[in-house]
Amino acid sequence: MIEPHGEVVRTILARARTALRRLGEEATDSDDADQRVHRVSDAYGMLRYARKLSPENTDVLGLLGVAADELGKTRQALDALEACVRLQGPERADSEVTDRLGMIYLRLGKLDDAIRWLRYAQGSIAVSNHAETAVHLATALAAHGKMSDAIDLLVNALPEKGNYLTDADPVTLVSFALAVHYDRDEQRAAAFDVLDTMQRSFQQDLGPRAQRALAGMRFAPPEDQYYYRALLYEAL
């Protein structure tokens, strides 16, 4: 009686999670592009139906926002994600929801909104779980004219000095983002100190590790990827 469509909604959620989880596991070559769009479109359609059945289900709203954003439906993504946050409360909202909201607003150039949502997503930041959040928040702070805050954020997101770099992609991503922000702040020596430390730690294997870490990053704004790649090519 309380949840008359509960079983149907749970089935839809399971299928949609599987479809969206595979997005990060797929190859990004053009041969898979049509299949990727088809899979996300199917998930989006199912989740829209699930929302009609259970309009206040925050799991449905969160996944619907992700699917809409992946399809380029920004208005629909914001509608679903903000509805999810209203129901949960910003402090208790899932970090993936608030991170996605922050990333969308960063992409739109609405920096105050981006910083606000990314702060919620950041929480007590752990690089292994929130590397992209740290990079997005640092990017937003830097674009807002707070470069020193952006650099401090990335420095504090890294492990202790004795364990400064590992082979984990999240740490590689945050480390490389730190070099990028030093470079943008015209602290070229500091930028290349970070890159040199990465090179030594990776035993001259910086290129493949950095490329793998950057390949999985959803850049916001999207054109940032060219700056990151340019610095990597220069370093190599």
Side-chain angles (χ1 to χ4, degrees), residues 183-203:
D183 189 67
R184 282 179 159 168
D185 198 37
E186 298 185 4
Q187 299 187 51
R188 307 263 309 160
F192 279 90
D193 280 346
V194 173
L195 294 170
D196 286 343
T197 301
M198 294 175 73
Q199 184 81 309
R200 290 194 301 272
S201 178
F202 294 152
Q203 298 178 350

Side-chain angles (χ1 to χ4, degrees), residues 145-198:
K146 301 176 181 177
M147 182 61 81
S148 61
D149 290 345
I151 289 172
D152 287 345
L153 170 71
L154 293 170
V155 169
N156 292 330
L158 289 168
E160 294 296 325
K161 282 290 183 182
N163 205 16
Y164 184 61
L165 290 170
T166 71
D167 62 355
D169 288 348
V171 179
T172 303
L173 176 61
V174 173
S175 301
F176 198 85
L178 177 60
V180 166
H181 281 75
Y182 277 133
D183 189 67
R184 282 179 159 168
D185 198 37
E186 298 185 4
Q187 299 187 51
R188 307 263 309 160
F192 279 90
D193 280 346
V194 173
L195 294 170
D196 286 343
T197 301
M198 294 175 73

Side-chain angles (χ1 to χ4, degrees), residues 13 20 43-49 51 58-70 73 76-77 79-81:
L13 279 171
L20 294 174
Y44 179 68
M46 289 189 296
L47 289 164
R48 286 185 66 194
Y49 177 62
R51 185 180 187 179
T58 54
D59 290 333
V60 170
L61 291 169
L63 283 179
L64 178 60
V66 171
D69 188 40
E70 292 292 337
K73 299 177 181 291
Q76 293 89 335
D79 171 65
L81 294 170

Side-chain angles (χ1 to χ4, degrees), residues 24-232:
E25 301 169 355
E26 291 178 331
T28 56
D29 59 28
S30 57
D31 292 339
D32 293 328
D34 290 342
Q35 184 180 6
R36 173 189 174 93
V37 171
H38 180 71
R39 185 176 295 125
V40 181
S41 295
D42 283 349
Y44 179 68
M46 289 189 296
L47 289 164
R48 286 185 66 194
Y49 177 62
R51 185 180 187 179
K52 291 179 181 178
L53 297 178
S54 185
E56 295 190 350
N57 187 310
T58 54
D59 290 333
V60 170
L61 291 169
L63 283 179
L64 178 60
V66 171
D69 188 40
E70 292 292 337
L71 289 172
K73 299 177 181 291
T74 302
R75 180 177 59 81
Q76 293 89 335
L78 289 174
D79 171 65
L81 294 170
E82 289 180 342
C84 180
V85 171
R86 281 195 300 272
L87 289 167
Q88 291 181 319
E91 294 83 1
R92 295 186 298 277
D94 191 293
S95 62
E96 292 184 7
V97 171
T98 48
D99 176 59
R100 180 71 66 151
L101 271 172
M103 184 180 68
I104 292 172
Y105 279 119
L106 177 57
R107 196 171 66 223
L108 295 173
K110 297 183 177 182
L111 299 178
D112 288 331
D113 290 325
I115 291 170
R116 177 164 62 94
W117 290 117
L118 290 167
R119 289 283 193 200
Y120 282 123
Q122 180 191 20
S124 54
I125 202 159
V127 174
S128 60
N129 297 322
H130 298 291
E132 286 194 19
T133 302
V135 175
H136 289 149
L137 181 53
T139 301
L141 289 169
H144 206 276
K146 301 176 181 177
M147 182 61 81
S148 61
D149 290 345
I151 289 172
D152 287 345
L153 170 71
L154 293 170
V155 169
N156 292 330
L158 289 168
E160 294 296 325
K161 282 290 183 182
N163 205 16
Y164 184 61
L165 290 170
T166 71
D167 62 355
D169 288 348
V171 179
T172 303
L173 176 61
V174 173
S175 301
F176 198 85
L178 177 60
V180 166
H181 281 75
Y182 277 133
D183 189 67
R184 282 179 159 168
D185 198 37
E186 298 185 4
Q187 299 187 51
R188 307 263 309 160
F192 279 90
D193 280 346
V194 173
L195 294 170
D196 286 343
T197 301
M198 294 175 73
Q199 184 81 309
R200 290 194 301 272
S201 178
F202 294 152
Q203 298 178 350
Q204 309 303 310
D205 199 21
L206 172 62
R209 292 179 185 275
Q211 287 171 343
R212 186 176 66 235
L214 297 182
M217 174 67 181
R218 296 169 299 174
F219 285 96
E223 59 268 21
D224 262 17
Q225 63 181 305
Y226 300 113
Y227 198 110
Y228 277 69
R229 289 176 181 172
L231 184 62
L232 178 59

